[in-house]
Amino acid sequence: MKINPLSIEGAWEIVPVQHGDPRGAFMEWYRFDRLTEAVGHPLRLAQANLSTSTRGVVRGIHFAQVPPGQAKYVTCVRGAILDVVVDLRVGSPTFGRHEVVRLDDVDRKAVYLAEGLGHGFCALEDEVTVSYLCSEVYHPAREFAVHPLDPELAIGWPQGVPLLSTRDAAAPSLAEARAAGLLPTYRDYQDFVAGLKIV
């Protein structure tokens, strides 16, 4: 397993080593110890989610208040998606930037994103199935979204007119979310993660 940092602090791409034979394949898609070593603190597993989507669906950009935020470990177990991590932490050197990683059922990559980062994806095929592990359970009052088609984010979604949920379609722009005080701060992220560090 290789764990590679992305250009946004707090985001990593995980590339598993696959072992195949005539029966099929085997791999470790999550290792507590290896992720802890790379990230610097353990991922507290509080909830596991599974979603299915049809081609052209865009989900996100979702995030949670920090603290406690919600770190995620995401993989695509069927089909293919473009997974997007957005830095929503006000004051971060990479605020407003995003990274895109293709997750599919061939390479079996995963993405880890820390608390304070926004997350979304686009389904590239029908019957896409995405699994993600979360560090906190879902708390509706602390969960927010930024509009995935906000021109300021400039995310190159591959679909012409993506299918959005009612919630995502009504989400504020990055500027509106910032003005409303909804976005996490880089300082809150740093303080929270410092409390998770292994000493």
Side-chain angles (χ1 to χ4, degrees), residues 10-170:
W12 282 264
E13 173 192 63
I14 297 90
V15 183
V17 176
Q18 300 189 53
H19 306 278
D21 61 29
R23 300 170 300 160
F26 173 85
M27 74 212 68
E28 295 175 343
W29 73 276
Y30 170 74
R31 280 278 301 262
F32 171 86
D33 56 341
R34 297 288 304 278
L35 185 67
T36 299
E37 180 183 353
V39 174
H41 60 81
L43 170 62
R44 174 180 176 266
L45 297 183
Q47 182 172 316
N49 299 332
L50 192 76
S51 71
T52 61
S53 303
T54 58
R55 182 191 299 269
V57 166
V58 168
R59 297 181 185 268
I61 303 297
H62 300 152
F63 67 99
Q65 285 179 334
V66 178
Q70 189 183 62
K72 295 177 182 175
Y73 191 97
V74 186
T75 192
C76 182
V77 297
R78 180 178 180 184
I81 65 170
L82 284 187
D83 197 77
V84 179
V85 179
V86 182
D87 193 346
L88 300 176
R89 302 165 300 188
V90 176
S92 167
T94 54
F95 175 75
R97 283 184 38 195
H98 67 275
E99 280 265 9
V100 178
V101 178
R102 180 185 169 97
L103 303 180
D104 58 39
D105 56 12
V106 177
D107 293 331
R108 305 283 186 187
K109 292 180 183 179
V111 167
Y112 170 81
L113 59 146
E115 297 82 356
L117 297 177
H119 179 253
F121 67 84
C122 178
L124 301 178
E125 303 174 10
D126 287 326
E127 300 302 320
V128 162
T129 304
V130 176
S131 173
Y132 43 108
L133 310 176
C134 303
S135 64
E136 292 290 333
V137 297
Y138 176 70
H139 292 286
R142 297 200 306 252
E143 302 280 338
F144 300 97
V146 169
H147 202 292
L149 305 183
D150 181 2
E152 185 177 355
L153 296 179
I155 298 170
W157 300 111
Q159 305 299 328
V161 181
L163 179 60
L164 305 177
S165 70
T166 302
R167 173 193 178 203
D168 291 343

